[in-house]
Amino acid sequence: MVTINCDMGEAFGIYRFGDDTACMPFVTHANVACGFHASDPNVMWSTVRAAKAAGIRVGSHPGLPDREGFGRRPMRMSRAEVAALTIYQTGALAGFLKAEGMDLSHIKPHGALFGMAQNDPEVAEGIADAAEIFGVPVIAFSDCCMSEVFARRGIPFSCEFYVDLDYGDDGRQVISREHPPIAAEAVAEKVRRAVEEGVTRAMSGKDVRVVAESICVHSDTPNAIVVARAVHEELGRRGLLPLG
């Protein structure tokens, strides 16, 4: 089975950001921002309530303390600092989940924090430290520091594929400040190749290896609902969507 995770709850104050509720019927897991790169307490709680109504699982989406850069600019951080910011943000979300009678499903680092964990074992260790405390799996990436650290430590994890991001020749996602729209037909083909062949087309035109145990959809993609629906329909046609 292949899950569909979506980054959500990234509005804050009077600023709206994406249509989370409209995307929820087409995803299985919501990664809810926890106040550092985006979101605020009211947005976190309302997103949890909406996810509960939609019957989808909720995990934390901890990011770097950089709202202006939307958490997509790397920072130098120690293992202890990474663990602390992940515990802090996840703990806040866990409180809102408890208020709604829900369990924390997973942790998925956001943006540059995710990229840092792919390349720096100390960052990956810090995230693993937090996941161990909460006893939840992590949405991660294949063939990198994350997969090596989590496998060695026995931290359950699934490797995600980004259907709405470009890839480099190294097989890694290209973290950009903005996500351009992507046609539904292109989404379906990218999903098919990722789950059937284990490859995707890099920006250079070269095919690179990927592992697609969970498909990521970003709520800030301009046509995020179209993308999420296309992913859901393609996995549904192949009988790969988890039940319940």
Side-chain angles (χ1 to χ4, degrees):
M1 297 294 102
V2 180
T3 61
I4 308 171
N5 73 84
C6 185
D7 303 343
M8 295 184 169
E10 292 178 320
F12 59 92
I14 64 172
Y15 303 100
R16 304 274 70 86
F17 198 74
D19 193 343
D20 293 346
T21 304
C23 285
M24 285 182 180
F26 308 112
V27 306
T28 62
H29 292 68
N31 316 309
V32 178
C34 304
F36 274 30
H37 75 277
S39 198
D40 63 32
N42 291 317
V43 170
M44 290 169 68
W45 203 349
S46 65
T47 306
V48 166
R49 285 170 170 161
K52 180 181 181 180
I56 62 176
R57 297 181 177 91
V58 175
S60 71
H61 196 37
L64 298 174
D66 177 23
R67 282 194 175 186
E68 289 78 6
F70 200 67
R72 290 180 179 156
R73 301 182 293 193
M75 299 173 66
R76 292 181 62 87
M77 303 192 82
S78 69
R79 172 177 174 171
E81 289 172 322
V82 170
L85 71 83
T86 304
I87 293 166
Y88 184 92
Q89 293 176 76
T90 302
L93 181 68
F96 292 117
L97 287 167
K98 185 174 182 180
E100 296 302 319
M102 300 176 69
D103 294 324
L104 179 72
S105 167
H106 62 280
I107 294 172
K108 178 190 165 181
H110 166 80
L113 181 61
F114 194 105
M116 290 159 56
Q118 287 177 272
N119 299 307
D120 186 338
E122 287 299 290
V123 175
E125 293 280 7
I127 293 167
D129 292 341
E132 206 167 57
I133 288 169
F134 288 99
V136 295
V138 180
I139 295 179
F141 203 82
S142 63
D143 303 311
C144 66
C145 291
M146 297 177 93
S147 55
E148 188 280 323
V149 167
F150 299 158
R152 173 171 47 79
R153 293 184 56 176
I155 304 293
F157 68 97
S158 58
C159 298
E160 72 175 353
F161 173 69
Y162 300 87
V163 74
D164 51 7
L165 292 184
D166 290 322
Y167 277 73
D169 284 353
D170 60 357
R172 304 284 181 86
Q173 80 281 18
V174 178
I175 299 175
S176 57
R177 297 287 293 276
E178 296 180 356
H179 299 155
I182 176 172
E185 296 80 8
V187 169
E189 178 61 8
K190 286 186 73 172
V191 170
R192 184 198 67 78
R193 296 197 75 208
V195 299
E196 277 194 353
E197 303 172 28
V199 298
T200 195
R201 186 65 49 84
M203 295 174 71
S204 67
K206 170 186 174 182
D207 278 351
V208 294
R209 181 181 177 274
V210 294
V211 177
E213 295 169 333
S214 186
I215 308 295
C216 175
V217 176
H218 290 93
S219 64
D220 60 327
T221 301
N223 61 337
I225 299 167
V226 171
V227 173
R229 182 187 291 114
V231 173
H232 192 273
E233 290 177 352
E234 185 65 21
L235 293 179
R237 274 194 294 269
R238 299 179 182 284
L240 295 175
L241 282 174
L243 300 176

